[in-house]
Amino acid sequence: MGFSVVTFVSYFLPISVIIYFLLGLITRQNNRVLNVYLILISVLFYWAGAGSNLSVIVLLITVTYLTSYIMRAKQSKMAFVFGLIINVVVLVKYKYPALVLSMIGATGITPDVIFPLGMSFIVFHSISYLVDSYQSMVGAVAKPATANARKDNELAEFINLSLYIVFFPKILQGPIVRYQEMREQIISRVSTWEDVYAGLQRFIIGLAKKVIIADEFGRMVASLPRLENMDAGTAWFGVFAFGFQLYFDFSAYSDMALGIARIFGFRFGENFNFPYIATSISEFWRRWHISLGAWFRNYIYIPLGGNRQGSVYLNLFIVFVLTGLWHGNTPIYLYWGIAHGIVILIERTPAYRKLDWTRLPMRILGWAYTMTVVFIGWLCFWQPNVDEFMDYCYKLLGIGVSDVSFTWLYYYDLKNTVFLLGAAAGIGLFSRPVLQTKTRSAMAIAQAKPAYQLLVLVTMAGLFILSFSGMVSNSYTPFLYFQF
């Protein structure tokens, strides 16, 4: 089940929210009861989309909890290391058998393994739980407790871990939230009507970005001619259409996830900060998929030594190689990560830093080269085969086409919808309009002038109606990052 389907929007979400608040009234905001309820509906949500893989998630949660229990009870570093190894092995087993076979030259063998939805995000959350729990344990003094108190504490810990892993807004595509950032909210959050209002507003904006903008770009990409029939102009059109689709698709999911979480009283950090205005690859990665970058910084880069121990160049390069591998299980994702790592290292060299990138001409040049690297790099997600990727790059250069004069074989761009879509995309990419990602709170809107309040309500209602109509009239398009 996805966020942009009629079943979810019409039934699952509203019913789940209504029952949640009724339970809150009945139990006087007993968060343990509410947490168990959120676990149950999260399991139902995941089962509806990937029921056959639910057992893998349950097994991973169980093993993670048992290793963490031994770690806490025995102050055991070995149990901590064992838990990390199990999580990495599970990820490799389900995500990377094809890559391992290709790297050892075992061609012609197709591994009979189905990659569970959201496994990369699930494993990263599980590792975050183990690391944060271990770090909080080191140096802490255990307080004496009765047997009943210990059992109650362990039950609470299992509930906390389960909700942290399976919480349905973030289980499939993130954002990747550190356990230490979510733990206090699991225990003592309070959801107010202001949270509900702000969450719904954020959800509607995300839904509109997905259905109205991202899916339309997706239809453009799907309507392109076959690669062998494509000219250079059409190839460049496809590069930018796919790049816009990827951004609006993934940022839409993040908006919807943050909105749903806010309804239930959880506040997570932003996952995007206008990445397509970046003037360097380093800046781009500070703006794109922020939660993934933070995870790699906290759990890989800093433990390697960061910029204080060892070689900062080697540490950064390792991080981006792993970032590439995290995104996909074919060699091209590894090459994509290596390429970004090399560019990052170049940007850290003294010669590059001596250039004055604050001047307007240099900023424009930096933005142009950054977007070229980023958008051509996105071809890896669209053409995940190395040979097809190279063939597409040849098309961009006009190599292997019968006409290199950039005459368009593809006339979709002449339709009015493309101009409207381009205007909407430009607003979302390069400006901060009223409906920006950080929506105003319900209290701020309530204190605003009536005309502004009416404008916000009418705009939200209009976006929701347009989005819902699009969901009904068009076939469902899965979120692109589901595959990761």
Side-chain angles (χ1 to χ4, degrees):
M1 186 188 304
F3 293 163
S4 59
V5 296
V6 175
T7 303
F8 180 84
V9 175
S10 300
Y11 302 105
F12 186 89
L13 182 59
I15 292 174
S16 298
V17 171
I18 291 171
I19 296 177
Y20 179 84
F21 278 92
L22 287 176
L23 274 178
L25 291 174
I26 295 172
T27 63
R28 296 184 179 181
Q29 196 63 34
N30 185 322
N31 276 334
R32 181 173 296 189
V33 174
L34 295 177
N35 291 341
V36 171
Y37 167 73
L38 288 178
I39 292 171
L40 293 176
I41 63 171
S42 296
V43 169
L44 176 62
F45 173 85
Y46 190 86
W47 176 82
S52 61
N53 297 318
L54 184 59
S55 59
V56 178
I57 311 304
V58 173
L59 178 62
L60 187 63
I61 292 174
T62 303
V63 171
T64 299
Y65 169 74
L66 290 176
T67 54
S68 69
Y69 172 77
I70 297 173
M71 177 184 73
R72 293 189 305 273
K74 304 294 184 180
Q75 297 284 299
S76 172
K77 184 176 182 179
M78 186 65 69
F80 164 67
V81 174
F82 180 75
L84 293 180
I85 292 173
I86 290 296
N87 276 274
V88 173
V89 168
V90 169
L91 184 60
V92 172
K93 169 181 170 56
Y94 284 98
K95 186 168 184 176
Y96 298 109
L99 177 62
V100 172
L101 290 173
S102 66
M103 297 299 285
I104 64 176
T107 58
I109 302 176
T110 303
D112 187 21
V113 177
I114 299 175
F115 180 56
L117 287 176
M119 178 56 72
S120 297
F121 291 93
I122 292 167
V123 169
F124 271 29
H125 279 102
S126 181
I127 291 174
S128 176
Y129 170 82
L130 286 170
V131 174
D132 289 359
S133 297
Y134 179 77
Q135 290 178 343
S136 64
M137 178 194 75
V138 174
V141 179
K143 297 180 180 179
T146 64
N148 289 334
R150 287 195 297 269
K151 290 180 181 179
D152 186 69
N153 290 338
E154 287 304 322
L155 175 61
E157 192 65 27
F158 182 75
I159 292 173
N160 293 347
L161 167 63
S162 299
L163 180 57
Y164 172 66
I165 298 294
V166 304
F167 188 39
F168 76 91
K170 67 177 184 60
I171 188 173
L172 298 180
Q173 279 189 222
I176 304 173
V177 184
R178 295 187 66 178
Y179 179 66
Q180 66 179 22
E181 295 173 359
M182 189 172 171
R183 183 177 183 276
E184 190 60 34
Q185 297 184 65
I186 291 175
I187 296 171
S188 59
R189 74 189 175 281
V190 175
S191 181
T192 65
W193 290 113
E194 181 180 351
D195 291 322
V196 174
Y197 185 94
L200 285 175
Q201 187 177 349
R202 187 67 178 270
F203 177 83
I204 291 172
I205 292 174
L207 184 64
K209 287 168 69 174
K210 167 62 176 172
V211 177
I212 299 174
I213 300 179
D215 286 355
E216 186 63 30
F217 275 120
R219 280 185 282 275
M220 290 183 189
V221 173
S223 301
L224 286 170
R226 295 174 60 87
L227 186 58
E228 59 266 23
N229 299 325
M230 193 180 293
D231 71 351
T234 305
W236 279 105
F237 180 86
V239 166
F240 289 106
F242 181 76
F244 291 151
Q245 179 196 2
L246 185 65
Y247 167 73
F248 282 106
D249 189 275
F250 192 17
S251 66
Y253 186 97
S254 294
D255 286 338
M256 297 162 81
L258 293 174
I260 297 170
R262 181 72 182 272
I263 292 173
F264 292 111
F266 291 90
R267 301 193 181 199
F268 301 150
E270 296 295 329
N271 213 20
F272 291 90
N273 183 24
F274 299 92
Y276 286 171
I277 68 172
T279 57
S280 68
I281 296 298
S282 301
E283 182 186 358
F284 172 80
W285 280 105
R286 291 194 296 269
R287 294 174 174 273
W288 174 276
H289 205 172
I290 297 170
S291 65
L292 178 66
W295 193 95
F296 274 108
R297 182 183 66 250
N298 293 320
Y299 300 117
I300 302 295
Y301 180 67
I302 292 177
L304 285 173
N307 56 3
R308 296 187 177 185
Q309 297 180 4
S311 170
V312 63
Y313 294 97
L314 178 61
N315 296 340
L316 281 171
F317 188 72
I318 291 173
V319 165
F320 277 94
V321 169
L322 294 177
T323 299
L325 287 173
W326 180 87
H327 278 87
N329 56 4
T330 60
I332 197 167
Y333 293 101
L334 173 61
Y335 305 148
W336 175 75
I338 291 173
H340 274 263
I342 291 173
V343 177
I344 290 288
L345 298 187
I346 293 173
E347 291 181 355
R348 289 191 67 91
T349 60
Y352 181 91
R353 292 187 170 189
K354 284 182 180 179
L355 298 174
D356 186 4
W357 294 100
T358 61
R359 297 169 54 202
L360 183 59
M362 293 298 289
R363 288 184 62 82
I364 294 174
L365 178 62
W367 176 80
Y369 112 79
T370 300
M371 292 303 102
T372 301
V373 172
V374 167
F375 275 81
I376 293 179
W378 290 149
L379 284 175
C380 299
F381 295 71
W382 182 19
Q383 308 286 346
N385 179 278
V386 175
D387 292 335
E388 292 175 354
F389 174 85
M390 294 305 301
D391 288 342
Y392 200 104
C393 290
Y394 291 144
K395 295 290 185 179
L396 294 175
L397 298 173
I399 300 174
V401 297
S402 58
D403 187 352
V404 295
S405 61
F406 288 77
T407 56
W408 293 79
L409 297 176
Y410 183 63
Y411 296 102
Y412 196 106
D413 62 299
L414 300 179
K415 294 183 179 180
N416 292 333
T417 53
V418 173
F419 294 105
L420 294 174
L421 191 62
I427 292 173
L429 290 172
F430 304 114
S431 67
R432 295 177 180 268
V434 174
L435 300 177
Q436 59 184 334
T437 54
K438 296 180 181 179
T439 55
R440 298 186 66 179
S441 68
M443 183 177 298
I445 293 174
Q447 295 173 350
K449 294 181 180 180
Y452 178 80
Q453 298 179 37
L454 180 62
L455 174 63
V456 172
L457 291 174
V458 170
T459 302
M460 289 297 109
L463 285 177
F464 181 77
I465 292 171
L466 287 174
S467 303
F468 195 85
S469 300
M471 288 191 297
V472 172
S473 60
N474 300 317
S475 58
Y476 169 61
T477 304
F479 287 92
L480 294 176
Y481 257 67
F482 273 177
Q483 61 186 305
F484 308 124

